[in-house]
């Protein structure tokens, strides 16, 4: 699902979306990697996505961000986190199949310099 940005030639596209039109709930689920494979160019880092987050928020969307490492290593825990957010907003029950999982280990957002270092170290190949 793409959202057009006024006065811009491109749109924002969420990695994944959760939409409940009955309750007017729209969730932008983002999976952040520190750099682009091949070029090593930092792609997500502290402050880089602030404008994007604000854009979605101003449209009434909730944004949930995971580090790529979290999704790769603990996908069920990430799903539980999403289900808990939906529960908090809509009081919908959390699926029993997810209730046995804990939360994903928090990962602080890295800086641009840290993303460059991660690229240099081929960090994304370690998980």
């Amino acid at each position: 699902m793409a959202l057009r940005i006024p006065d811009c030639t491109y749109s924002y596209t969420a990695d994944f979306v959760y939409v409940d039109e009955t309750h007017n709930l729209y969730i932008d689920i983002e999976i952040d990697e520190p750099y682009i494979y091949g070029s090593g160019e930092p792609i997500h880092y502290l402050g880089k996505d602030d404008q994007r987050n604000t854009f979605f928020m101003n449209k009434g969307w909730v944004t949930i961000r995971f580090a790529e490492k979290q999704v790769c290593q603990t996908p069920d825990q990430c799903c539980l986190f999403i289900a808990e957010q939906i529960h908090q907003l809509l009081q919908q029950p959390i699926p029993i199949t997810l209730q046995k999982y804990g939360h994903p280990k928090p990962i602080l957002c890295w800086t641009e310099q840290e993303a460059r270092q991660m690229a240099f170290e081929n960090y994304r190949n370690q998980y």
Side-chain angles (χ1 to χ4, degrees):
M1 176 177 275
L3 281 91
R4 177 138 168 49
I5 306 167
D7 302 320
C8 207
T9 58
Y10 65 93
S11 300
Y12 284 137
T13 304
D15 289 334
F16 295 94
V17 297
Y18 175 89
V19 175
D20 182 333
E21 290 180 339
T22 302
H23 296 97
N24 200 32
L25 176 62
Y26 298 84
I27 301 177
D28 165 27
I29 303 166
E30 295 294 326
I31 302 171
D32 293 345
E33 57 279 305
Y35 58 89
I36 299 171
Y37 267 123
S39 71
E41 176 186 348
I43 187 168
H44 297 285
Y45 50 85
L46 194 61
K48 176 75 166 33
D49 295 306
D50 290 352
Q51 184 176 352
R52 177 190 171 93
N53 292 343
T54 299
F55 176 84
F56 274 89
M57 184 180 67
N58 288 341
K59 294 282 187 190
W61 286 60
V62 173
T63 297
I64 298 174
R65 289 189 170 276
F66 295 106
E68 178 185 55
K69 182 176 183 178
Q70 290 172 305
V71 174
C72 287
Q73 292 183 335
T74 58
D76 295 320
Q77 288 84 344
C78 293
C79 289
L80 171 63
F81 184 85
I82 294 167
E84 288 175 338
Q85 303 314 300
I86 294 167
H87 172 74
Q88 286 181 5
L89 294 166
L90 301 180
Q91 300 305 306
Q92 291 183 353
I94 296 170
I96 292 173
T97 55
L98 294 177
Q99 292 179 12
K100 63 183 174 184
Y101 298 106
H103 293 116
K105 181 180 175 183
I107 296 177
L108 296 177
C109 189
W110 45 83
T111 65
E112 182 177 5
Q113 185 57 39
E114 289 169 330
R116 289 185 190 288
Q117 184 63 33
M118 294 162 108
F120 178 77
E121 296 171 356
N122 290 313
Y123 175 78
R124 292 178 70 191
N125 292 338
Q126 299 173 24
Y127 53 84

